[in-house]
Amino acid sequence: MRALVVGGTGHIGSAVVRELVAHGWRVTVLSRRAGGSRNLVGIDVTWHVGDGHDKADLRAAATGMTLVVDAAAPYPVHPVTPRSDADAHPVAFAVRRTQALLGAAADAGAALIAIGSFVTHKVRERRARSGLGRLRSRTLRRLHPYFAVKEGVEGELLAAARRGQRVGLLNPTGCLGPWDLKPRGLCLVPMVACGELPSTASDTVDFIDVRDVAIGVRRMAETQHFGVPVLLAGHSHPFGDYFAEIARLAGRSAPRLSAPASLGVVALWTAERTLGAIGRRPPWPALSLFIVAECGPVDRSVAQLALGVAPRPLSETLQDALTWYRELGYC
Ligand SMILES: NC(=O)c1ccc[n+]([C@@H]2O[C@H](COP(=O)([O-])OP(=O)(O)OC[C@H]3O[C@@H](n4cnc5c(N)ncnc54)[C@H](OP(=O)(O)O)[C@@H]3O)[C@@H](O)[C@H]2O)c1
């Protein structure tokens, strides 16, 4: 019952830490933040300050653990303006880092549960298509490395599971809820709540509460359900419905304009390229729209139901998210 949560200060990671602590686990958080973090105030954890992408730090932090949870897998947000090795060579970096993580868990004799992404399931679905849908999907995936990064990481994890290592993989859809510390420009709820987004996408999207993802991690550890990626879905609705509900909770009106995400992708991708050419970054990275354009609605999987992850009401998620971002001063 000793768990290391890599990325335990993150949006998903902090929910995992809270869930495990509430169920009697002794939890260590591996983080670069020496002074703790605002989303874990009052939670009884041990801090291990280090780099969650570094082999030696991972190995040192994992020693003595029965479980390692990875909630810090890289996700390339600014591929056009790289400022680190992870940005410049995102797939190679993510694969190397996954190998280091697997090695650390194996050396400690710990099970590993990794947070991946639902896009890998969607990409498999799209590959099975024919015609224009397949071509459109391939083009989107070639334009943004996020998809290849998530597939590369998942490939390494599943290969280790096939070799007999105890590896579990949870693949959530978009995550909402409290305890997010990302920069404000990456947070949908406060931007909608403050009326900053001029239009919404007409596509359907799926969001799950980080607390429900955390329940999935705990249940996976308890049931030792390893070796097969589990897709975790919450609620699939038109994007505009999310905007309308957030705006209603914030006492504002929602944007009236709506367009397919694929049009927004073209606009944001062009802005990213153009600004990238002079070393600058746009206020809204294209990544979220790439995912919306590629993925669409998601059904809850049999494996999710078997794990006992029943998403809480969306209204609770959105209200708690709004309350959190207000506490942070984001809206
Ligand atoms: N949020 C979503 O909608 C969503 C949906 C599906 C999948 N995912 C995936 O789930 C994972 C977690 O997402 P998230 O939304 O929780 O991200 P997040 O809020 O940005 O958290 C990531 C955490 O990783 C830690 N981290 C990053 N680099 C690190 C390093 N070198 N050493 C130590 N810690 C490091 C950060 O910790 P410190 O800054 O404290 O060091 C941060 O707390 C990502 O792989 C993401 O792609 C997210």
Side-chain angles (χ1 to χ4, degrees):
M1 298 286 278
R2 290 193 65 193
L4 172 72
V5 182
V6 186
T9 56
H11 194 196
I12 298 175
S14 61
V16 171
V17 170
R18 285 165 179 267
E19 176 72 15
L20 292 178
V21 169
H23 286 82
W25 287 76
R26 281 195 289 150
V27 175
T28 297
V29 172
L30 173 57
S31 170
R32 295 167 297 184
R33 299 170 196 242
S37 80
R38 189 161 172 183
N39 56 6
L40 287 177
V41 169
I43 307 296
D44 184 18
V45 293
T46 302
W47 289 89
H48 186 113
V49 179
D51 184 347
H53 296 171
D54 178 83
K55 203 172 174 175
D57 283 359
L58 282 166
R59 183 165 297 182
T63 303
M65 300 292 155
T66 42
L67 172 68
V68 174
V69 179
D70 181 35
Y75 53 98
V77 179
H78 298 292
V80 182
T81 45
R83 290 177 191 166
S84 66
D85 189 29
D87 286 345
H89 307 285
V91 181
F93 179 86
V95 166
R96 266 201 319 276
R97 187 233 171 222
T98 307
Q99 290 163 348
L101 184 70
L102 283 162
D107 288 352
L112 170 66
I113 295 179
I115 307 294
S117 167
F118 78 118
V119 301
T120 57
H121 299 256
K122 283 291 176 182
V123 167
R124 280 193 284 279
E125 268 176 32
R126 301 291 191 249
R127 282 212 179 95
R129 277 189 185 177
S130 56
L132 267 184
R134 185 184 165 114
L135 180 67
R136 177 179 172 277
S137 165
R138 200 167 58 189
T139 308
L140 283 172
R141 280 185 275 121
R142 283 195 176 165
L143 290 177
H144 203 292
Y146 180 86
F147 305 95
V149 164
K150 293 302 172 191
E151 286 194 285
V153 169
E154 182 167 304
E156 286 301 311
L157 294 168
L158 295 182
R162 282 194 295 274
R163 290 193 299 271
Q165 191 167 347
R166 289 182 302 141
V167 178
L169 182 57
L170 280 170
N171 287 334
T173 58
C175 292
L176 293 175
W179 311 317
D180 191 7
L181 289 177
K182 289 190 197 67
R184 189 177 180 285
L186 298 181
C187 302
L188 175 74
V189 170
M191 287 195 286
V192 176
C194 295
E196 289 163 21
L197 297 180
S199 107
T200 177
S202 49
D203 311 57
T204 295
V205 289
D206 193 282
F207 284 110
I208 184 168
D209 194 300
V210 281
R211 293 167 289 190
D212 296 328
V213 177
I215 290 171
V217 170
R218 176 178 59 79
R219 294 282 302 138
M220 185 173 258
E222 287 169 356
T223 57
Q224 304 267 301
H225 181 102
F226 298 140
V228 183
V230 176
L231 173 63
L232 287 184
H235 303 273
S236 283
H237 294 297
F239 217 164
D241 291 4
Y242 281 97
F243 275 52
E245 183 59 9
I246 296 166
R248 189 189 68 75
L249 289 170
R252 285 193 164 262
S253 49
R256 295 216 181 102
L257 283 177
S258 165
S262 45
L263 284 185
V265 161
V266 173
L268 288 184
W269 184 81
T270 308
E272 245 171 27
R273 294 272 141 181
T274 310
L275 289 171
I278 52 169
R280 295 186 53 202
R281 293 173 168 177
W284 303 312
L287 174 59
S288 305
L289 275 188
F290 265 96
I291 296 173
V292 173
E294 171 65 350
C295 294
V298 184
D299 292 326
R300 291 176 199 157
S301 63
V302 174
Q304 167 172 353
L305 299 177
L307 268 189
V309 181
R312 71 198 61 217
L314 183 59
S315 53
E316 181 184 331
T317 300
L318 295 180
Q319 182 59 68
D320 291 351
L322 195 56
T323 303
W324 166 256
Y325 289 120
R326 281 183 171 144
E327 276 171 33
L328 273 191
Y330 277 16
C331 53

